[in-house]
Amino acid sequence: MNASPHPTDDGDTAAKNHFVLKRRAHNLMIFELHNPSIVQLALRLKDHMAQAPNLFKNTPTVLDLAPLEDGFKVIDFPALVSLLDNHGLTIVGISGGSEAQRNAAARARLALFPAANQAPGAEPQLAPTQDAAPAKPAETTPSEAPSEVQADCASNMVMRQTVRAGQQLYARGGDLIIEASVNEGSEVIADGDIHIYGTLRGRALAGARGRKDARIWCQNLDAELVSINGIYRTRDSIEPDLIGKAAVIEIQQDKLIIRAFGFV
Amino acid sequence: MSKILVITSGKGGVGKTTTSASIATGLAQRGHKVAVIDFDVGLRNLDLIMGVERRVVYDFVNVVQGEANLTQALIKDKRIGNLYVLAASQTKDKDALTEEGVKKVLDGLKDDGFDFIVCDSPAGIEKGAQLAMYFADEAIVVSNPEVSSVRDADRMLGLLASKSYRAVNNMPSIKQHLLVTRYAPARAEAGEMMSIEDMMEILAVPLLGVIPESPAVLNASNSGQPVILDQESDAGQAYADAIARLLGEERPLRFLTVEKKGFFSRLFGN
Ligand SMILES: Nc1ncnc2c1ncn2[C@@H]1O[C@H](COP(=O)(O)OP(=O)(O)OP(=O)(O)O)[C@@H](O)[C@H]1O
Ligand SMILES: [Mg+2]
């Protein structure tokens, strides 16, 4: 019986020259996710990290889904990973979450850690109607899940229907063009520009991953919140005389400017 | 071919059950074979509005759990042939309903040759409401003319478009209708209520009808008569108009302005 941890026959010796598998416990940062909304997170992170810039640099981090407590919430892992990456947190995997959420994470090539206080395998039950966001074509229908278009194909996203309360859209790596209205209680996000040919009543966030020259155009401004590159204004701070106008929102000298356009 | 019609809203107390009872009754009056199901498990309501509460032996949950068959549980309406009620259970808890169980009941009704299966949804957007709308072919989204009700209706329209069986299986989407209920022309004219135009502009779905706020509704439910059977009443007539539109007929909107006509002109119509 050979008790040696490193067998010495020819084949294994050959492998050993190239790699060795070992276990080691690493101290990982835990990022507890309390709200999967990319917009909310982007805004909060911006505030939080502004106080302590360069605090993190490629810090290996595990995303803990347990605080969500809602296995139905669809999480846009690729968007989340790149958002956190921008802030120096390198997501290596997730812990907790429902089966659907864990499947979605696995599809995003994240490692699956067992939940902190949960035996592996004891997954919360999910109704079969719930699932992770399916891959969306460039022209999309609204879904509860944050929809997204991969940057490597068509990076602009076109939405024909009304974006309704509770829905999220994210045009990753490109512009978001919406032929209808964006209703109160919904969020539309783009790494590039956002064009809304209806009324903007919800939240719109352009230049989401850092682009000062991104803009938002809308045919009728009635927004809850607008943001470019993390600088935002809520409804309270939008000039009342611009409400109901066709407007463009842009950054000028580090300030978020809203101005009417067209035949004013 | 059976059509599954869900009456839903998100917000509670906007008139779903009132609408379910009248739509089901109205469709049956037009000669269709109709079943109306109360999905509000734990809060029986529809049977009262339909006036069948004293004849409930078995309910929806009994059928879902295999304790009774459909024939035993369907309560035949005494006023109109072709109309059947499947009551909700007051004793069981909400988890008694499963997607599989609901599908079994709906399939059973289809096999029995029902033309319309009307599903009265519970309030909210949780499991009960999701099950009520999951298998629907058409949806009537009920909203009162006020902001929170419209917001919830919008949320529900989003769920219909993304979380239904049709959406999940990439089938043609659920046909959506907006039904405005409890519309008070006087308050609308005074600007105290959202206008129909604003509601349509936000919700962006076709308008099935506007049911005025009416004392006839309370009278009707107190006497266990769906208000559509009261054709003297404005609400009853508005529901009849909605049925006609649902069946593809054209009807002008009525009861949108404050009634200024005298007794005779009302008696003889416009
Ligand atoms: N057109 C109307 N005019 C006056 N009262 C109405 C009208 N429609 C509904 N109501 C009243 O509003 C109340 C709620 O109606 P209903 O039970 O139909 O609502 P619901 O949406 O089913 O409520 P829930 O969410 O609790 O199931 C009842 O008291 C009913 O009589
Ligand atoms: Mg009800």
Side-chain angles (χ1 to χ4, degrees), chain A residues 72 74 127-131 141-145 162-167 181 183-186 199 201 220 224, chain B residues 99 126-127 130 134 147 151-159 161-163 165 168 176 198 201-205:
Chain A
F72 289 174
V74 180
T129 56
Q130 312 289 337
D131 205 351
T141 48
S143 95
E144 276 289 294
T162 307
V163 186
R164 300 190 181 279
Q167 295 182 329
S181 294
N183 277 354
E184 209 177 326
S186 69
T199 303
R201 303 186 183 89
N220 186 346
E224 283 179 282
Chain B
E99 196 181 296
E126 304 307 320
K127 194 179 159 203
Q130 293 208 13
Y134 190 64
V147 174
R151 168 92 81 110
D152 286 2
D154 192 44
R155 183 104 168 79
M156 187 46 76
L157 286 165
L159 290 173
S162 65
K163 294 263 167 101
Y165 180 83
V168 170
Q176 302 169 331
D198 284 351
E201 148 83 17
I202 291 172
L203 295 174
V205 284

Side-chain angles (χ1 to χ4, degrees), chain B residues 41-58:
Chain B
V41 174
L43 291 170
R44 264 170 60 178
N45 233 325
L46 181 70
D47 52 343
L48 288 167
I49 308 291
M50 294 294 296
V52 300
E53 76 278 9
R54 302 216 181 127
R55 295 196 282 135
V56 179
V57 182
Y58 295 108

